[in-house]
Amino acid sequence: MDPHLLTGAHALGALPDAERVEFEAHLDRCRGCAEEAGGLRETAARLGSAVDHAASPGVLRSRVLAAVRRLRQVPPSSEVEAVASLRQGLRRAAGLVLAACATAAAVAGVHATLSTTTTIPVAASPHTRIGDLLAAPDLRLVTAGQPPGTAAVSRSRDEMLFLADGLRTLPDDRVYQLWLVDDRGPRPAGTPDPAGRAASLLVTGIGGVGEVILTVEPAGGSPSPTGPPVITVSLA
């Protein structure tokens, strides 16, 4: 695992003890990671202290039990695979939370029950567009690709929050551009806001869209894709 990709997991305390010790040794040698990890810890702390209310244990229990009934449970094929899957899940969750923080630091807090394709919101601040989207009762979280891209989709709000992590740094004359693909083909959705190796974009007007793709385009964007997809996420 590239240690430069672990700043988010470390900031949220999601690293196992052995990996945490190795990563903290890396921080002593890498000023960039140290500064990024420090900033993410401060952001996570501010968001944690900004939660405006907490659901009662009874409410949380009923929601978790309801989610369990809807989610397919797949047993791990081995104990080693189960541990690896847990670590990957923690890192993915940390990356998504921190990407959302970079996009909208005003979101007070989101507590969700996640599967690989679905998120069930429990509580979110209603004071921003992204907060309203994350609190939508029909919110779905779809992740695909390598590097991973995630679409948080609400059909009732006709909105989607696109998040990508692990992107390579582009030269000044190139940008990442997002495309919405429907029966008529791809149409431009905009250029995601970069935040280091992550990028995010809030999109409105997703009716009939079956998938979203991310490509590399000339600076300023293109009217149609000129290169192969970097990330493809199916919304079906």
Side-chain angles (χ1 to χ4, degrees):
M1 176 64 69
D2 184 350
H4 300 286
L5 302 180
L6 300 181
T7 53
H10 180 266
L12 295 182
L15 290 177
D17 289 341
E19 294 185 17
R20 176 180 55 79
V21 171
E22 292 182 6
F23 180 72
E24 289 176 352
H26 168 75
L27 290 181
D28 294 335
R29 304 187 300 271
C30 181
R31 179 178 177 183
C33 283
E35 292 178 351
E36 182 178 357
L40 293 176
R41 280 195 302 269
E42 293 178 5
T43 300
R46 292 181 63 186
L47 290 172
S49 63
V51 175
D52 53 359
H53 68 280
S56 67
V59 172
L60 286 177
R61 181 176 185 275
S62 64
R63 286 173 173 167
V64 169
L65 291 177
V68 168
R69 287 193 292 270
R70 293 195 294 269
L71 299 180
R72 184 170 64 94
Q73 304 300 307
V74 180
S77 58
S78 70
E79 183 177 349
V80 173
E81 182 178 336
V83 172
S85 177
L86 175 60
R87 291 178 180 176
Q88 291 172 0
L90 287 172
R91 289 173 183 146
R92 177 176 295 177
L96 291 177
V97 170
L98 290 168
C101 293
T103 306
V107 177
V110 179
H111 303 281
T113 302
L114 297 177
S115 70
T116 56
T117 59
T118 306
T119 178
I120 302 172
V122 175
S125 170
H127 302 304
T128 67
R129 284 184 61 192
I130 292 179
D132 290 341
L133 171 62
L134 296 178
D138 65 333
L139 185 71
R140 293 179 59 241
L141 186 78
V142 186
T143 299
Q146 190 57 249
T150 297
V153 182
S154 170
R155 295 290 185 180
S156 65
R157 292 183 56 83
D158 198 27
E159 288 182 331
M160 174 193 70
L161 175 63
F162 177 81
L163 303 168
D165 195 13
L167 299 173
R168 65 184 179 90
T169 302
L170 298 177
D172 292 340
D173 62 344
R174 295 285 170 175
V175 295
Y176 288 105
Q177 187 168 357
L178 190 68
W179 306 88
L180 305 179
V181 183
D182 55 22
D183 294 340
R184 295 171 293 179
R187 53 186 169 91
T191 55
D193 296 326
R197 294 169 60 112
S200 60
L201 183 66
L202 182 63
V203 179
T204 301
I206 60 171
V209 174
E211 66 179 12
V212 294
I213 61 175
L214 187 72
T215 63
V216 177
E217 303 296 335
S222 301
S224 60
T226 63
V230 177
I231 297 173
T232 300
V233 180
S234 174
L235 305 186

